Amino acid sequence: MKIISVFNNKGGVGKSTLSFHLAHALAEKGIKTLMVDLDPQSNLTLQCMSAEKLEELWTEEEPFIEDFQAALDETQASFSEFLSTPRSVHCHLKPIEDGVFESFELGKVYNAAPSLGLIPGRLSLHTFEDKLAKSWSDAFMGDPQALRLLTGIRRLCLDAGEKHGYDVAILDTSPSLGMMNRVIISTSTGFFVPCMPDMFSTFGLTNIGMALKTWKSQFNVMYSLLSDKKRSAFPDHFVKLLGYTIYNARRYAGQNEYDLATAHYAYASKLPSVIQEKIPKDCYAHLAEGVISEPIGGTSVMHSHNTLPSMAQKYRTPMWNVPGLPNLEPEDRSTILGNRGMYTAKQSAYHAFADELMSRVEGVED
């Protein structure tokens, strides 16, 4: 199974929107895909299910999040029965966070679309990060509980692959270089960075490069201290950078090769050199010469989608499916149907993006 993290340590770059549409594109291409919402803000989840349904899910889980053992003792049903309906990522991780179970049991996965599943996010996920931070030093000593915490998210994805047949997991992350993202990214197969063409992206990639060097060094030390059995819970190789993409930037036709405003093009043009200077080269050495310098998918998802993403979020379906919905509200119908071509054209654009992303992760050992 390929575990792909979508990450930028700056918010507001469209990370969740891109994750949502990428996952749908992969599923439509016959790649059984799992979305895992690891951003406590849960924006990816809210693109897949209503706020009312999510509130109901969170409310049912609340006793287990507050005190897993007490809730387990009080429940009339077994935990397996409790997992017979979809649960949030934090609920799945809570047994190992509290040290109640040595492993967890993956239950039913929320069906977002054919061949597409979702493990919903949860605001309380920050407590799992707190426990990760407290256990970090113990992991170097081979403490079993600490290692279960560090590998919990990875094992959740792998278990979903084994139990439900998922080929790819798309992990939506928070805009942070904190402990949880250190673990999520470092134990993924690969990651990519959605960027806006501005100074925040150039400095953000610099920060990511500095973090990767530190994380790689730390995990190498940890691996050198662990027995072969304990080391086997982690991936064989450190995470690979799959590249970057310019996302949702305003289009200025004919200005340059990317059809960007001059100032935006200047920033976009800097990104390849920033990657080559700041990102450890062995993180992208699996790619052919020059590939890392090109945005994933070229200009396929580069330019502004205008109001299309807001309509996709409102109706909880990819942009290209919106015009065909039978339940369009009267105030939306004429505008959406009048721009049907703009909506439907996004399908081939995201399929092209998905194709190139998968070509970049192909051959990377997990």
Side-chain angles (χ1 to χ4, degrees):
M1 184 188 205
K2 303 300 185 185
I3 303 173
I4 302 174
S5 294
V6 187
F7 175 70
N8 191 322
N9 67 312
K10 181 189 180 300
V13 297
K15 180 172 51 60
S16 297
T17 299
L18 179 54
S19 298
F20 176 81
H21 286 87
L22 165 64
H24 276 82
L26 289 170
E28 289 177 359
K29 294 181 72 63
I31 300 171
K32 193 167 185 181
T33 303
L34 175 69
M35 298 179 285
V36 185
D37 193 348
L38 292 163
D39 185 346
Q41 296 302 311
S42 305
N43 289 325
L44 176 60
T45 299
L46 287 170
Q47 291 187 58
C48 299
M49 63 171 62
S50 68
E52 292 76 19
K53 184 177 289 187
L54 183 59
E55 182 181 14
E56 180 183 349
L57 183 150
W58 284 356
T59 301
E60 290 175 351
E61 295 177 350
E62 193 63 30
F64 290 90
I65 299 299
E66 290 181 356
D67 188 330
F68 186 87
Q69 184 64 69
L72 195 64
D73 293 340
E74 293 175 9
T75 186
Q76 298 299 312
S78 69
F79 191 58
S80 296
E81 291 175 294
F82 179 68
L83 294 176
S84 64
T85 56
R87 298 298 167 197
S88 73
V89 63
H90 192 197
C91 192
H92 282 297
L93 295 170
K94 191 64 179 177
I96 57 171
E97 178 186 323
D98 286 0
V100 177
F101 295 165
E102 290 188 0
S103 61
F104 50 79
E105 182 179 351
L106 177 68
K108 187 175 181 181
V109 174
Y110 182 80
N111 183 38
S115 297
L116 181 61
L118 167 73
I119 299 181
R122 191 180 172 98
L123 280 169
S124 59
L125 199 55
H126 67 90
T127 66
F128 183 76
E129 182 166 27
D130 291 342
K131 186 61 70 74
L132 277 175
K134 291 176 183 177
S135 303
W136 176 247
S137 59
D138 293 336
F140 287 79
M141 305 300 294
D143 178 75
Q145 168 68 359
L147 295 176
R148 283 194 288 270
L149 285 164
L150 262 63
T151 58
I153 293 169
R154 172 179 167 79
R155 287 189 295 122
L156 185 64
C157 295
L158 295 178
D159 284 359
E162 291 178 6
K163 186 172 183 179
H164 298 295
Y166 292 106
D167 303 304
V168 173
I170 301 296
L171 278 51
D172 190 21
T173 61
S174 64
S176 161
L177 287 168
M179 177 59 72
M180 193 159 72
N181 280 343
R182 180 192 310 184
V183 171
I184 292 168
I185 294 167
S186 297
T187 58
S188 295
T189 310
F191 79 102
F192 71 92
V193 185
C195 296
M196 292 293 289
D198 57 23
M199 71 172 185
F200 293 103
S201 292
T202 57
F203 283 99
L205 280 171
T206 298
N207 288 341
I208 291 169
M210 294 171 59
L212 283 172
K213 291 173 185 176
T214 301
W215 298 347
K216 187 174 188 294
S217 175
Q218 291 172 336
F219 273 93
N220 283 344
V221 171
M222 184 188 299
Y223 295 159
S224 71
L225 297 173
L226 296 178
S227 66
D228 290 345
K229 183 177 181 180
K230 290 179 177 179
R231 171 68 178 86
S232 66
F234 295 87
D236 291 337
H237 303 283
F238 192 66
V239 66
K240 300 299 183 183
L241 173 66
L242 305 176
Y244 72 98
T245 185
I246 306 296
Y247 190 61
N248 206 22
R250 188 171 178 181
R251 181 172 186 160
Y252 288 85
Q255 291 279 31
N256 43 63
E257 62 181 305
Y258 290 157
D259 288 335
L260 297 174
T262 301
H264 288 173
Y265 181 72
Y267 281 116
S269 299
K270 291 180 182 179
L271 296 177
S273 61
V274 173
I275 289 173
Q276 292 169 12
E277 291 172 12
K278 304 297 183 181
I279 305 290
K281 286 184 170 50
D282 54 355
C283 285
Y284 57 87
H286 68 289
L287 297 175
E289 185 73 24
V291 170
I292 198 66
S293 297
E294 298 296 327
I296 302 170
T299 61
S300 59
V301 298
M302 183 176 289
H303 299 115
S304 175
H305 301 328
N306 299 313
T307 61
L308 275 61
S310 62
M311 289 295 103
Q313 184 166 4
K314 179 176 180 177
Y315 291 102
R316 298 185 184 88
T317 193
M319 288 178 264
W320 52 86
N321 286 343
V322 171
L325 294 175
N327 61 330
L328 294 177
E329 295 182 3
E331 62 267 27
D332 298 331
R333 179 175 294 276
S334 61
T335 301
I336 290 172
L337 297 183
N339 292 285
R340 178 186 291 271
M342 290 176 58
Y343 281 90
T344 56
K346 296 301 180 185
Q347 184 176 39
S348 59
Y350 278 91
H351 279 217
F353 179 84
D355 284 341
E356 183 166 344
L357 179 69
M358 293 309 295
S359 75
R360 294 191 183 197
V361 77
E362 193 174 308
V364 178
E365 295 181 29
D366 194 42

